[in-house]
Amino acid sequence: MGRVILAVRKGKGSIFKSHVKHRKGAVSLRKYDYAERNGYVKGVVKDIIHDPGRGAPIAVVQFRNPYSYKIDKELFCAAEGMYTGQFINCGKKAQLAVGNVLPVGEMPEGTVVCNLEHKIGCGGSIARASGDYCTIMTQDPDAKKTRVKLPSGARKTVPSACRAMVGIIAGGGRIDKPMLKAGTAYHKYKAKRNEWPKMRGVALNPVEHPFGGGNHQHIGKPSTVRRDKSHGRKVGLIAARRTGRLRGGKATQALAEKAKEKSG
């Protein structure tokens, strides 16, 4: 009987759960209410703070509650150029300025946005990592749909009432600086979760991984594996539609798509 392999143990949670003790809270846009749907709500950036385990800084924004006498504190992913004391407008009638939140249907084509919602009122789920942004490609007012270019280069169609923040997420260029030493990587992942250092399957013993063992580090069997394989064996390229490098017509097609994305 072999050991329970690492991939299976990670799925159970336990010591592999995220380290959330010092995190500042969930980051999201304002709750989508009547005030935002028909006008705009004005808030002020009180502070810009670091969130452990997150590359991008967080803006603490205060709004006056439109329905009762109290202050609402929201945590936004900070856009590049935000500063403390800045006024932020959220809503349909807000101006097109960095940090403001508007429905994507109200923005002209070519606008650079972040914190994009994929469902109306979900609070923002696309382009939230440091330096990430989406671009508004085309508007379809009849169907009330907007086509956006995602950070990956893929295109996605979202409802025009979905909101997004104008600008790009702060903290860009973070990965340009090399980590240089193992200690830096240790502290980076200590704030995230137990996922470092990563061992390759071929570097392990046969008891610890299906690709382990042998006199040379080699897999020794196909790395593709079917979707319904048993848990201890389901490693490698799971249910791969295709493998290997792109050759022939597919390679030319992929290059053409890449060039098109760069120009567009």
Side-chain angles (χ1 to χ4, degrees):
M1 182 68 189
R3 289 178 61 180
V4 178
I5 68 168
L6 188 64
V8 173
R9 288 178 59 216
K10 278 192 168 181
K12 299 266 193 253
S14 181
I15 61 165
F16 299 102
K17 286 181 179 172
S18 283
H19 300 165
V20 294
K21 185 176 170 65
H22 299 291
R23 304 223 177 148
K24 301 295 183 267
V27 170
S28 168
L29 300 176
R30 276 185 82 255
K31 193 177 174 185
Y32 198 36
D33 54 9
Y34 180 85
E36 277 206 38
R37 281 195 298 272
N38 297 283
Y40 69 89
V41 182
K42 189 177 177 183
V44 62
V45 178
K46 281 290 176 188
D47 202 1
I48 290 174
I49 54 175
H50 170 66
D51 189 21
R54 184 190 295 272
I58 285 179
V60 181
V61 187
Q62 281 188 359
F63 293 92
R64 285 174 65 178
N65 190 296
Y67 309 109
S68 56
Y69 183 68
K70 62 177 182 179
I71 298 286
D72 292 334
K73 189 182 86 169
E74 304 287 345
L75 295 176
F76 288 1
C77 267
E80 200 168 284
M82 263 192 182
Y83 55 90
T84 51
Q86 180 185 354
F87 289 111
I88 299 287
N89 294 332
C90 300
K92 189 181 178 182
K93 302 278 175 74
Q95 273 189 325
L96 193 74
V98 171
N100 285 358
V101 178
L102 294 86
V104 287
E106 301 294 318
M107 300 180 189
E109 291 169 9
T111 309
V112 168
V113 298
C114 55
N115 271 324
L116 172 68
E117 293 182 327
H118 71 287
K119 289 179 184 170
I120 299 166
C122 77
S125 56
I126 300 171
R128 286 156 48 111
S130 52
D132 268 4
Y133 63 91
C134 293
T135 313
I136 309 286
M137 301 301 288
T138 52
Q139 300 279 15
D140 185 354
D142 302 328
K144 293 184 178 174
K145 298 280 184 188
T146 302
R147 196 155 175 77
V148 292
K149 184 178 168 187
L150 305 184
S152 64
R155 264 72 164 175
K156 185 178 173 68
T157 305
V158 297
S160 293
C162 284
R163 296 168 297 162
M165 183 183 277
V166 182
I168 77 169
I169 298 286
R174 177 172 51 87
I175 54 172
D176 296 345
K177 183 184 175 185
M179 285 202 265
L180 292 179
K181 55 182 189 168
T184 314
Y186 166 80
H187 288 295
K188 175 187 174 178
Y189 290 105
K190 185 169 181 281
K192 288 178 183 284
R193 63 199 68 81
N194 180 9
E195 61 174 4
W196 185 89
K198 275 191 170 73
M199 287 288 287
R200 291 168 300 130
V202 289
L204 301 174
N205 296 313
V207 74
E208 290 154 347
H209 199 277
F211 297 165
N215 285 345
H216 300 282
Q217 285 191 4
H218 69 295
I219 294 175
K221 55 176 81 69
S223 57
T224 51
V225 65
R226 57 191 289 162
R227 175 80 65 203
D228 57 0
K229 204 70 174 163
S230 57
H231 295 315
R233 177 65 184 85
K234 197 174 173 182
V235 293
L237 304 169
I238 297 166
R241 288 195 178 91
R242 57 172 307 284
T243 60
R245 66 187 182 90
L246 292 165
R247 298 179 68 183
K250 282 184 178 174
T252 348
Q253 194 183 333
L255 283 168
E257 278 176 15
K258 224 173 190 179
K260 194 179 174 186
E261 276 168 17
K262 275 185 180 174
S263 61

